[in-house]
Amino acid sequence: MAETSQNYTASRIGDGVFGAAIAAILAYLYLPVAVLIIFSFNDSNTLTLPLSGFTLKWYEELFGNSDLKKALFNSFYVATLATALTVVIGVPAAFALDRMNFPGKTLFRRLVLLPLVLPGIITGIAMLNLFKLMGFRLGLETVIIGHATALLSVVVTQVFARLQRLNRNLEEAAADLGAKPWETFFYIVLPNIRSAIIGSALLSFTLSFDEIPVTFFLTGRDNTLPMYIWSTMRRGITPEINAVGTLIVAASLVLIALSVWMLRSNERP
Amino acid sequence: MKSIIEIDGVSRTFGGKVVAVDNVQLHVAEGEFVTLLGPSGCGKTTLLRMLAGFEMPDSGSVRLDGKDVTFLPPYRRDVNMVFQDYALFPHLTAAKNVGFGLERQKLDRAEIGKRVESALQLVGLSAMADRMPHQLSGGQRQRVALARAIVRRPRVLLLDEPLSALDANLREAMQVELKHLHNKLGITFIMVTHDQTEALVMSDRIVVMHRGRIAQAGTPSDLYDRPASTYVASFVGTSNIVEGTIVSVADGIAFERQGLRLRCLPLPGFSPGQRALAAIRPERLRIVNAGAKEANVIACTVEERLFHGNSVRLRCRLASGEVFLCDRQLNASRDLGALPDAGQPVHFAADPDSIALFREDSR
Amino acid sequence: MKERKLPVNYLGLAVLSAPLVWAIVFMFVPYMIILTYSFWIKKYPTFEPAFQFGNYVQIFADPQYYQVLLRTMRIALLVTFFSLLIAYPFAYYLVFKVRSARVRLFLYMAVILPLWVSYLLRAYTWKTILGSQGVLNSFLVWSGLLSAPTDVLLYNQFSMVLTLTYIFIPFMVMPIYTSLEKIPRNLVEAASDLGVPPLGVLTKVIWPLSLPGVLAGATITFCLTFGDFIAPILVGGPDGSMISNVITSQYGTALNWPLGSALAILMLVIVLAIIELSDRLQKAERIATG
């Protein structure tokens, strides 16, 4: 009896230590985010403690910054078109990988999925070489192609995984009921992989919005938001960056809430 | 009667080596209920899928109502299928599932609505029209799948193990219901199953398949009473199979196996000295006294009594070592006590017409 | 297989054509161009075609390059190690200790969430925290723990590992969590039932079954760290620069594309080798566990 209660106490202590470790990990993950947000409201030019007072002036400066607004617009432009491309190319690619047999399929799969683990810098310089060789002028359009290439893998993996889980009998049943191949795709397959497409498109959009290595090599005079922040950062630390960061965090939260909500209304058990 | 399905010399090999269907010849009459029966891997499902258009044969032809459909894609064939796992579209309601095939035919909305309604009524699911598949029970999903397949009024309905996912009670009820549906619709049903009871209960004709070939085709009672091989004899129902030698063919055939001598009906194709197999149904045996004046008395020792409720199975062993089964119906509670116990000797009598003889190479 | 009279699958060709063309033009061809450039010779102010291995020889002969390569590997290994050290207990706690499904989902999301916060800002924030004029230093001085700001916190390999671990932890947690979640609970119960103590259950049952997730997480964390070039600039300092920074400067100020290409090819080969190794281990693991 005494021994079991001792064991029980020991395991309670163990759980307590475990819980504390988890809390420490969460602190490690969220301390920087907290710092980012807090100092965006701090009335001081330097990021030092103690805090000196509440202000919104960093946000005001932000809204008056036309370069930043231009960069933000560019980022939206790039992310939207790059995402559209990843979906248009990625969904058929996933479909081909799951359902078709063709020579060179293994090489094709490796190529398409490589950017998942391949550092962006390689995609960046590889495409820089190509565009230079073909005499393309670097600009937002080359960035779009670069992002689409790097992020194709995101859409392909997610849609491929969903296709694999999709019951193949559904397609046979549709064909059996007189649906032609394209009807089967639009009426049966597409509705059932829709959430995977939306989810991966959202992820692709976010990653494109945040992309630096590829953009770094492929952009011309136009800056995307991360490139603009990057160039500001190299000039020195300013609380204005914290304000931009806080807004990005807020926008991300809205986007996440939105996608969770959409997936929930989409997904049935 | 005219044939609606004509399968001629059809073969299909997978991956260059696995022969799934091997030179199959099968004609099915309009309105027939035919069951393809066999263990998994016997080729029955591949044959069904070739009828539906999901598989193409390597050689041979499939004709539907006189028209060659061998290489026609599934969506151009006038057959519909009930899938083993039902394959209901998870994103569509029961009614939308049933209406899917009609929408592909570009029928007008009112007509589709009417036919969906009547199909759901036929399977007793009118109240569930707006439910999603995941909100339905297994039995209800089965009915939706059935309604979806018959609503297009196909010439042939294909059923791929339609009842295998249901529990025992529901399965029995659905067997009867499907048979009634077959009578009501008057169209041809082709069903695939590995369950011999299901096949015996439901079919007009059973096609037993073995390693891609047809082992035997015939009415349920044909197959049961006159199996063409020991394979059919042991796959349809249970059989005691004893291996021995033919000792005489005069005045019926005499068969011997280590002290056991069986007298069977005359049959061509046997000669003395030939190795042969004798098959006897467990329920055709009678228990007799040791010295009974019967044609065939079989002596064994009871090893086990297996109680089945309405019957009991005596698991015995012959002197030559083979297991020998005997089923006795229990008509009254005292019947059980009258049967010999484990360890006791017992004698069975088998009428000559209840013994099926096969040549050794018929396996 | 035997030839059968099947119609040509035009629909299939149509579906395949766009992805295939894209993969060839924007992936295969560019990689081949880098490969070609890596054999060229730098001739100021440009470079000329050649087939020679001078660029590769230079990488392994000049300590300036191979030391960066070794440093990059060391940092990538350290980051992978620390990410695993943090991610595994976290995922384990979520799957096996947290009873409420809602709390579990919340904690899981809490780890994944930083992924959506700009990568750049995540690296930058550590610079503002660790800097000699930064948040931590000012706090330590203000609270009296230090008399003057210290500069040991930033611009070294410690700050690099800390920042990169922070950035890549979610990539480690996700696959480990997935593989732990897939372990049937009755296996754990069966092990306990057979008299295996909790620690034994962890080492003999849970850990081996979660290895595929660990392997996947370690592979992606190592590869991503290996190619990072933002964190070194922000928090790395002079002795923190990594191979990507060298490639960047060869393509930029140094204007030596052939050498940059050779470095990129080397990086590509290392990454491919690691993926291949991980694939092999994964397969061996699958065979070993049935």
Side-chain angles (χ1 to χ4, degrees), chain C residues 119-140:
Chain C
Y119 156 81
L120 183 59
L121 288 165
R122 276 182 290 153
Y124 154 83
T125 320
W126 280 106
K127 181 186 167 103
T128 69
I129 292 173
L130 299 173
S132 55
Q133 313 256 310
V135 177
L136 189 58
N137 259 315
S138 62
F139 171 77
L140 291 174

Side-chain angles (χ1 to χ4, degrees), chain B residues 305 307 309 312 328-340:
Chain B
R305 284 201 330 200
F307 182 61
V312 73
R328 302 304 306 161
Q329 204 64 32
L330 297 175
N331 298 315
S333 54
R334 63 174 181 280
D335 288 358
L336 185 62
L339 292 170

Side-chain angles (χ1 to χ4, degrees), chain A residues 15 18-19 22 25-26 28-33 35-36 39 47-50 85 89 92-93 95-96 100 102 107-108 110-112 114-119 121-123 125-134 145 148-149 152 181-182 203 206 210 212-213 216-217 226 229-230 233-234 237-239 241-242 244-245 248-249 252-253 255-256 260 264, chain C residues 11-13 15-16 18-20 22-23 25-31 33-34 37 86 89-90 92-93 97 105 107 109-111 113-122 124-129 133-135 138-139 142 161-163 165-166 169 219-220 223-224 226-227 229-230 233-234 244 247-248 251 257 260-261 264 267-268 271-272 275-276 279:
Chain A
D15 281 359
F18 214 154
I22 298 306
I25 294 171
L26 283 175
Y28 173 47
L29 289 174
Y30 281 89
L31 173 75
V33 181
V35 166
L36 189 75
F39 281 94
L47 273 63
T48 50
L49 284 171
L85 274 174
I89 311 269
F95 208 78
M100 292 165 66
F102 50 92
L107 180 65
F108 175 68
R110 293 220 158 194
L111 270 179
V112 169
L114 196 56
L116 270 188
V117 279
L118 190 70
I121 178 172
I122 295 194
T123 308
I125 63 165
M127 299 196 80
L128 173 68
N129 286 330
L130 178 78
F131 291 139
K132 284 280 183 198
L133 211 64
M134 296 199 311
I145 293 176
T149 306
L152 200 57
W182 65 269
L203 188 57
T206 323
D210 196 26
I212 291 183
F216 184 87
F217 289 99
I229 298 173
W230 175 237
M233 248 174 218
R234 304 196 72 180
I237 291 172
T238 112
I241 296 174
N242 289 49
V244 179
I248 290 177
V249 172
S252 309
L253 281 176
L255 208 63
I256 290 166
V260 166
R264 189 171 294 168
Chain C
L11 194 75
L13 283 178
V15 167
L16 190 55
L20 211 53
W22 192 280
V25 175
F26 295 120
M27 301 173 121
F28 187 71
V29 170
Y31 294 149
I33 296 174
I34 305 189
Y37 280 174
I86 293 172
F90 194 90
Y92 178 86
Y93 187 82
K97 294 282 176 186
L105 183 69
L107 285 175
M109 286 304 283
V111 178
L113 211 63
L115 265 190
W116 269 268
V117 179
S118 166
Y119 156 81
L120 183 59
L121 288 165
R122 276 182 290 153
Y124 154 83
T125 320
W126 280 106
K127 181 186 167 103
T128 69
I129 292 173
Q133 313 256 310
V135 177
S138 62
F139 171 77
W142 173 64
V161 173
L162 182 80
T163 305
T165 303
Y166 172 76
I169 273 184
T219 307
I220 195 160
C223 291
L224 290 175
F226 193 73
F229 85 112
I230 298 294
I233 297 176
L234 284 176
S244 292
I247 296 178
T248 313
Y251 266 82
W257 286 26
S261 297
M267 188 187 225
L268 187 68
V271 167
L272 286 177
I275 295 168
E276 185 62 33
D279 271 3

Side-chain angles (χ1 to χ4, degrees), chain A residues 91-262:
Chain A
V91 173
F95 208 78
L97 285 177
D98 185 41
R99 310 273 144 125
M100 292 165 66
N101 271 314
F102 50 92
K105 183 174 171 177
T106 312
L107 180 65
F108 175 68
R109 182 178 54 230
R110 293 220 158 194
L111 270 179
V112 169
L113 297 185
L114 196 56
L116 270 188
V117 279
L118 190 70
I121 178 172
I122 295 194
T123 308
I125 63 165
M127 299 196 80
L128 173 68
N129 286 330
L130 178 78
F131 291 139
K132 284 280 183 198
L133 211 64
M134 296 199 311
F136 274 30
R137 264 202 30 220
L138 296 182
L140 292 179
E141 287 68 30
T142 47
V143 174
I144 290 169
I145 293 176
H147 283 191
T149 306
L151 299 172
L152 200 57
S153 52
V154 173
V155 175
V156 173
T157 39
Q158 305 243 342
V159 174
F160 178 78
R162 181 64 59 90
L163 279 171
Q164 290 236 299
R165 276 194 287 135
L166 188 64
N167 185 350
R168 292 292 286 267
N169 282 350
L170 294 183
E171 285 151 75
E172 292 194 341
D176 184 63
L177 293 166
K180 296 179 184 66
W182 65 269
E183 287 177 310
T184 302
F185 181 77
F186 281 103
Y187 297 127
I188 302 301
V189 178
L190 204 54
N192 281 298
I193 62 171
R194 192 173 52 188
S195 53
I197 295 176
I198 294 174
S200 56
L202 278 174
L203 188 57
S204 174
F205 186 93
T206 323
L207 292 175
S208 166
F209 209 85
D210 196 26
E211 218 287 334
I212 291 183
V214 174
T215 320
F216 184 87
F217 289 99
L218 297 185
T219 194
R221 282 206 308 269
D222 296 301
N223 266 343
T224 59
L225 185 63
M227 287 301 293
Y228 172 78
I229 298 173
W230 175 237
S231 59
T232 329
M233 248 174 218
R234 304 196 72 180
R235 269 180 265 137
I237 291 172
T238 112
E240 211 181 310
I241 296 174
N242 289 49
V244 179
T246 304
L247 289 179
I248 290 177
V249 172
S252 309
L253 281 176
V254 171
L255 208 63
I256 290 166
L258 201 71
S259 60
V260 166
W261 176 73
M262 266 170 77

Side-chain angles (χ1 to χ4, degrees), chain B residues 187-259:
Chain B
I187 60 172
T188 310
F189 276 37
I190 310 275
M191 181 172 83
V192 155
T193 186
H194 62 263
D195 181 338
Q196 44 116 355
T197 328
E198 203 168 283
L200 290 171
V201 168
M202 299 170 75
S203 337
D204 295 331
R205 194 149 61 104
I206 298 175
V207 176
V208 181
M209 293 193 65
H210 183 44
R211 293 186 185 153
R213 291 165 176 271
I214 295 181
Q216 189 178 3
T219 64
S221 63
D222 265 350
L223 289 186
Y224 196 83
D225 293 331
R226 284 175 292 283
S229 62
T230 49
Y231 173 78
V232 177
S234 49
F235 196 78
V236 180
T238 310
S239 286
N240 293 304
I241 294 177
V242 184
E243 204 179 327
T245 317
I246 305 291
V247 289
S248 134
V249 292
D251 185 22
I253 300 177
F255 166 96
E256 218 177 62
R257 160 74 182 165
Q258 266 188 31

Side-chain angles (χ1 to χ4, degrees), chain C residues 275-290:
Chain C
I275 295 168
E276 185 62 33
L277 184 72
S278 156
D279 271 3
R280 293 247 171 115
L281 286 173
Q282 201 90 266
K283 251 177 225 142
E285 176 69 23
R286 220 173 293 142
I287 291 162
T289 56

